[in-house]
Amino acid sequence: MRLDSETPQQHAPRSGLILLQALVLGLFCLFTLRLWYLQVHKGTRFADMARDNQLRQVRINSARGRIVDRNGQPLAVSEPSFALGLVREDCADVDATLAKVSEWTGVDKAQLLETFRRGKKRVKPFEPLTLITDLPYESLARIEANAMLYPGLEIVVRQKRSYPTGALMAHVLGYVAEANEEELEKKPELSLGDSVGKQGLEYALEDELRGAKGRKQVEVDAFGRQHNEQILDPPRAGGDVRLAIDVNLQRECARLMEGQAGAIVVMEPDTGKILAMVSEPSYDNNMFVLGVPADKWKELRDNPRHPIQNRVTQGVYPPGSVFKLLMAAAGLSQGFVRPGDVVACPGVYRVGNRDFHDWKKGGHGALDMRGALVHSCDIYFYKLGDRMGIDRLSEYATASGFGTRTGIDLPHEKAGLIPSKEWKRKRFGAAWSKGETVIASIGQGYVLTSPLQVARYVSALVGGGKLMKPELVETEPPKVDAVLPLKDADRQFILDAMVATVEQGTAKSLLRSDAVLGGKTGTAQVVKLINPDVRRKTHAMPYEQRDHAWMASWGKKDGKAYVVVCLVEHGGHGGEIAGPVVRKVYEYLFGPAPGRAARAGVPHEPAAEPGDVGD
């Protein structure tokens, strides 16, 4: 029976059913597309990301190259040490972890927190951020036993620099220390906690010694524990460096300078190789490797004898009469004098209204250039300098290697100073005076040289006129930087005069019968004498007012040749103080001098050349 009374609104909602079916179909399509997007379109990427959660790539530190002496004795080596790192993404509570590390190691928590904040900028969350670079064994054992309670802590094996010879080679080797912010910025390959060369050869040869880090892939579990690892790029160790220095000779030179401030340099004249380079006093470079304590640094910095300074390359001094070797060469090469020209030395030389005195009261009388060098006559060289003028002198000295850096592979070398008219005008805004030329001609006044410059010049005289680059690395080929502007005959004349100075003059302390030795003493004033006729004994003067003692020398025996230069700061007369030191260096190089005991009672010429400059 059909109920005609039913209205159309009472029929089933067909349109709503269709709408519901469409909605279900749309949702199905949406999920299908999303599934395709995740599984197919992004599947590879998400699979890689999933793997990254288990596999980490971390860097492998490389070993720094060794430095050895010419006979293979180790001077700078690397040895294993243990650092404490923190992997941030494995650490749930950084603050609590740092507090515990502070308790274990005694390192202030604020310091650890600062290290952590600095490291966050440079270390990825899954890489160990170095908190402490060198863990003592007691701390290491404690951390190893408890690290599992603090996820993220990790012991990292690193290389620590060590210097077996300590202070003996500190000025040559320098030291390494933790890289600062500026160095980290300059070299992206460095990580927080890495060490870099700061001074000496460690600094100069940094790229050669450091090597390159490697990479490894490490599998870790959800707790950060490592299970497997695979080397992706092996690290490359830094190259070893063999020096020309003989550490036993170095030790002997340091012994001879013990208790004094000064320098010794021993050089091969034909190659420029440095066999010994001693600067006293010195310091233990091991203390810088892990960070020098503040009190120790203050002690070094404030020491009036400046132990950190390398006096061979950074110390510049008036050369005194050693400079007469250069003056003789300049006068001969520029035609201002001939070897046989005789000059009168009455003991005083007047320029304008000033008198300039000879070191020998009453003068030396008449002498030629050989006699002037042998007896170190001041008047002879006053007159020669006055004839040449300061600008010719300056030009010649510069061409002979003075007043410029030698180019040795050590940082912060000083150039010294060879003055000129132009230099004084720029420096002081004043005109040059003839009296200043007279003073400069005996290596006083504004003239400043380093012991290395003197050694290089004497080596050039001995080595055929070749001005060699001083070389510390044995494997580097000899390099000729320039040739002295000097005829061979004149060069040989100066060498012969140096031999005569040993045999008859102010360098008699070097005399020995089994070798050929040449020398030139120097006694450089550091304060101006008010009355040159009244000169106190060295020991009666305040230390800082005493003269510097020089000895520049060369020696040949059995086909071997050496140049030895010694400077003793505020030591007194060169022949009496620096001379005996140099003699003992030759005894090491050539063996004991025959007949030394028999000659011990024979006095050598006692008066050196104080280089009086008058008033």
Side-chain angles (χ1 to χ4, degrees), residues 231-252:
I231 303 296
L232 301 178
D233 294 320
R236 177 175 57 79
D240 289 348
V241 174
R242 186 159 64 94
L243 302 187
I245 282 182
D246 180 335
V247 74
N248 294 326
L249 173 62
Q250 179 89 357
R251 188 172 287 109
E252 175 65 6

Side-chain angles (χ1 to χ4, degrees), residues 50-241:
R51 279 196 295 273
D52 285 347
N53 286 333
Q54 296 180 342
L55 300 177
R56 294 173 179 169
Q57 288 189 11
V58 297
R59 284 177 282 193
I60 310 171
N61 293 316
S62 59
R64 194 173 178 86
R66 297 187 313 151
I67 303 177
V68 301
D69 87 333
R70 66 187 303 131
N71 299 312
Q73 291 198 46
L75 306 176
V77 297
S78 296
E79 51 190 36
S81 71
F82 300 96
L84 180 62
L86 179 66
V87 180
R88 303 204 312 271
E89 71 175 19
D90 293 340
C91 182
D93 189 340
V94 172
D95 191 68
T97 302
L98 294 184
K100 185 56 67 177
V101 170
S102 176
E103 178 186 325
W104 287 337
T105 62
V107 179
D108 188 72
K109 184 187 171 187
Q111 181 181 336
L112 292 171
L113 191 58
E114 176 59 26
T115 303
F116 179 79
R117 285 173 178 160
R118 285 175 56 211
K120 280 178 66 176
K121 306 172 188 173
R122 302 186 176 281
V123 179
K124 295 175 181 174
F126 55 83
E127 289 182 332
L129 185 161
T130 302
L131 296 173
I132 299 174
T133 52
D134 188 50
L135 284 171
Y137 178 78
E138 298 77 15
S139 299
L140 176 67
R142 194 173 184 183
I143 293 171
E144 281 278 297
N146 296 280
M148 65 180 68
L149 302 176
Y150 293 88
L153 286 180
E154 184 175 320
I155 301 296
V156 181
V157 179
R158 304 175 68 92
Q159 298 289 324
K160 182 178 72 174
R161 204 60 159 167
S162 176
Y163 303 103
T165 53
L168 179 64
M169 292 293 298
H171 293 104
V172 176
L173 301 177
Y175 54 84
V176 300
E178 187 172 332
N180 57 32
E181 291 291 337
E182 183 180 354
E183 289 159 340
L184 291 170
E185 286 289 338
K186 283 184 178 176
K187 299 178 178 176
E189 67 272 23
L190 293 177
S191 303
L192 195 69
D194 283 353
S195 293
V196 296
K198 299 283 187 176
Q199 288 289 340
L201 287 174
E202 292 278 28
Y203 173 84
L205 304 179
E206 169 66 19
D207 291 342
E208 183 175 349
L209 290 168
R210 189 172 67 238
K213 292 182 179 180
R215 283 187 312 128
K216 65 180 179 181
Q217 186 167 268
V218 179
E219 184 180 350
V220 297
D221 62 18
F223 299 99
R225 291 175 299 208
Q226 298 182 6
H227 294 285
N228 295 303
E229 67 178 39
Q230 177 185 2
I231 303 296
L232 301 178
D233 294 320
R236 177 175 57 79
D240 289 348
V241 174

Side-chain angles (χ1 to χ4, degrees), residues 530-577:
I530 297 175
N531 184 353
D533 293 330
V534 180
R535 186 172 181 81
R536 288 177 292 172
K537 295 290 185 182
T538 297
H539 66 271
M541 301 171 68
Y543 174 79
E544 64 276 6
Q545 295 183 11
R546 298 174 186 172
D547 301 331
H548 295 322
W550 282 92
M551 173 65 84
S553 72
W554 58 271
K556 290 184 178 179
K557 181 184 178 184
D558 300 332
K560 295 182 178 178
Y562 303 97
V563 165
V564 181
V565 171
C566 174
L567 163 83
V568 180
E569 278 186 14
H570 307 296
H573 293 172
E576 295 177 353
I577 303 300

Side-chain angles (χ1 to χ4, degrees), residues 408-424:
I408 191 171
D409 291 327
L410 290 178
H412 317 305
E413 182 186 10
K414 293 285 182 63
L417 176 63
I418 298 297
S420 65
K421 292 178 181 177
E422 180 67 10
W423 170 82
K424 187 180 179 187

Side-chain angles (χ1 to χ4, degrees), residues 466-485:
K466 293 177 289 188
L467 207 56
M468 309 295 295
K469 176 193 173 191
E471 190 59 69
L472 286 163
V473 179
E474 175 67 9
T475 51
E476 286 294 317
K479 180 184 177 186
V480 180
D481 286 336
V483 177
L484 292 181

